Amino acid sequence: MSVIRAVACGCGRYLPERVVENAELALTIDTSDAWIRTRTGIERRRFAAEGEKTSDLSIVAARRALDDAGMTGSDIDAIVLATATPDQTFPSTATRVQAAIGMSGGFAFDIQAVCAGFVFALAQADALIRTGQARRAMVIGAETFSRILDWNDRGTCVLFGDGAGALILEAREGEGTSADRGLLATDLRSDGRYNELLYVDGGPSTTGSAGVVRMAGQEVFKHAVLKLAETGATALARAGLGTADVDWLVPHQANLRIMSMTAAKLGVPMERVVVTVQDHGNTSAASIPLALSVARERGQIREGDVVLMEAIGGGLAWGAAVLRW
Ligand code: UT7
């Protein structure tokens, strides 16, 4: 049976220039390189320069993805941008990208599922493409989390970084089997009973300011391993695949221990897990597209490979997507 599939045809990333090593943080925060490395796997992260906005990071990543796909802005008819750190409350950061890349038609909007945002955005783009509302969609994950950190809270401020990644999806015909290229399945979940485990203590209708990140790290950790393994297995089953079919697991890059425990639960060996957390830290919605772009550059993900992505964050919101590149 002929079906429409959302097929990956280009990706790009941008990281701000400023590299901040763990040792630099330890100069002003009561922490150490050893603690951060052993508890999280993070060695360094990037911070946006003063005045450098989420849209600025997104626009560079978007242009690089267009170059990779051999396209221009006018070839794109939808942008779905996942961020928890938009330039402004409105307009959407996505419309800033739309204007900058010269995309004259179509539509652009932001979605908010924090660290799970890229997976949620992929599912939206997939639906738009499969229902004929867009032929080519750009999915972006972009964050400037350095703007919403409490520098007096060492349990959170050492974890996060800034960056943006973009992936272009194009409608192509498939057979309707797991051998097709493109997005094969997604699984989206949330449970608002866990709002208090990970949140920002501000916002337009509460304090009128952006607020800073608050997290019950250990609690989130426990939920993460269980929920990520479960959503990953669900998405794979929906795609008609098993863990043995997974060429690359591309997890949200929050913590190396979470990634290795989830991979073990799923039965995916670490040699097949894309890890970038050491260089990027936790970049929330940007972490998966950044990792995809790095993995493509490393030659890890090739055409035809099955890629399983999974992420969890504030909400709690979590989910997974299976893509045959
Ligand atoms: O991206 C969204 C999803 N978020 C996540 O997936 C994050 C999930 N959680 C985690 O990754 C981990 O819980 C953390 C990395 C945040 C923390 O690691 P942990 O092993 O759970 O540490 P902990 O919070 O239990 O703290 C252990 C100790 C405490 O000291 P005491 O009470 O044992 O004396 C903390 O005060 O480590 C201390 N500590 C630190 N020490 C040095 C906490 N933060 C730091 C720090 N440097 N930065």
Side-chain angles (χ1 to χ4, degrees):
M1 185 186 62
S2 170
V3 297
I4 299 174
R5 295 287 196 191
V7 175
C9 50
C11 65
R13 69 180 184 281
Y14 176 71
L15 291 156
E17 271 179 31
R18 185 160 172 242
V19 180
V20 179
E21 301 283 342
N22 291 344
E24 185 182 335
L25 293 180
L27 295 174
T28 51
I29 297 160
D30 181 17
T31 189
S32 64
D33 175 47
W35 190 94
I36 302 171
R37 267 175 206 255
T38 51
R39 297 289 174 131
T40 71
I42 298 167
E43 297 172 21
R44 61 194 63 82
R45 75 287 290 138
R46 304 289 186 105
F47 284 162
E50 209 182 316
E52 196 174 30
K53 301 181 295 297
T54 298
S55 62
D56 297 321
L57 312 188
S58 306
I59 289 161
V60 183
R63 289 193 176 126
R64 289 179 178 167
L66 287 170
D67 285 348
D68 190 39
M71 292 180 190
T72 64
S74 55
D75 294 320
I76 304 296
D77 38 31
I79 297 177
V80 187
L81 188 149
T83 188
T85 47
D87 292 13
Q88 293 150 286
T89 304
F90 74 84
S92 67
T93 302
T95 54
R96 297 206 176 276
V97 180
Q98 179 185 28
I101 65 169
M103 180 183 145
S104 44
F107 55 94
F109 61 98
D110 290 359
I111 69 153
Q112 155 61 299
V114 209
C115 298
F118 188 75
V119 171
F120 276 62
L122 271 183
Q124 305 320 306
D126 183 41
L128 291 169
I129 286 175
R130 284 191 297 106
T131 53
Q133 295 175 80
R135 265 195 59 73
R136 290 182 180 136
M138 185 182 290
V139 186
I140 300 175
E143 303 280 14
T144 47
F145 252 59
S146 62
R147 308 282 194 246
I148 55 163
L149 297 176
D150 175 358
W151 299 103
N152 294 312
D153 178 9
R154 66 178 182 169
T156 54
C157 71
V158 303
L159 305 176
F160 295 93
D162 302 336
L167 175 69
I168 298 173
L169 298 170
E170 180 176 61
R172 296 208 191 143
E173 263 191 31
E175 302 291 320
T177 72
S178 59
D180 287 349
R181 288 188 64 206
L183 267 165
L184 299 176
T186 54
D187 180 51
L188 304 184
R189 309 287 299 279
S190 68
D191 190 337
R193 289 174 300 172
Y194 299 119
N195 277 179
E196 302 307 317
L197 295 186
L198 178 50
Y199 64 99
V200 159
D201 63 3
S205 78
T206 50
T207 59
S209 60
V212 289
V213 174
R214 301 289 176 215
M215 178 167 71
Q218 268 194 12
E219 287 301 306
V220 175
F221 193 111
K222 284 181 213 152
H223 282 285
V225 176
L226 291 172
K227 289 179 165 52
L228 289 173
E230 196 204 333
T231 189
T234 303
L236 276 176
R238 262 183 211 158
L241 298 169
T243 42
D245 300 307
V246 175
D247 293 296
W248 296 103
L249 174 61
V250 183
H252 168 46
Q253 310 282 315
N255 184 315
L256 186 57
R257 288 186 295 145
I258 295 177
M259 288 190 258
S260 53
M261 286 165 84
T262 307
K265 258 190 173 304
L266 278 166
V268 176
M270 279 310 280
E271 307 85 73
R272 288 198 269 133
V273 182
V274 175
V275 179
T276 54
V277 70
Q278 69 282 2
D279 294 325
H280 302 167
N282 181 345
T283 56
S284 182
S287 91
I288 289 179
L290 281 171
L292 288 175
S293 166
V294 168
R296 285 286 290 166
E297 200 170 272
R298 286 178 186 159
Q300 288 177 314
I301 299 175
R302 290 159 196 263
E303 194 172 308
D305 282 356
V306 171
V307 179
L308 172 62
M309 298 165 260
E310 34 90 331
I312 186 166
L316 296 174
W318 68 101
V322 183
L323 172 83
R324 188 182 289 281
W325 196 280

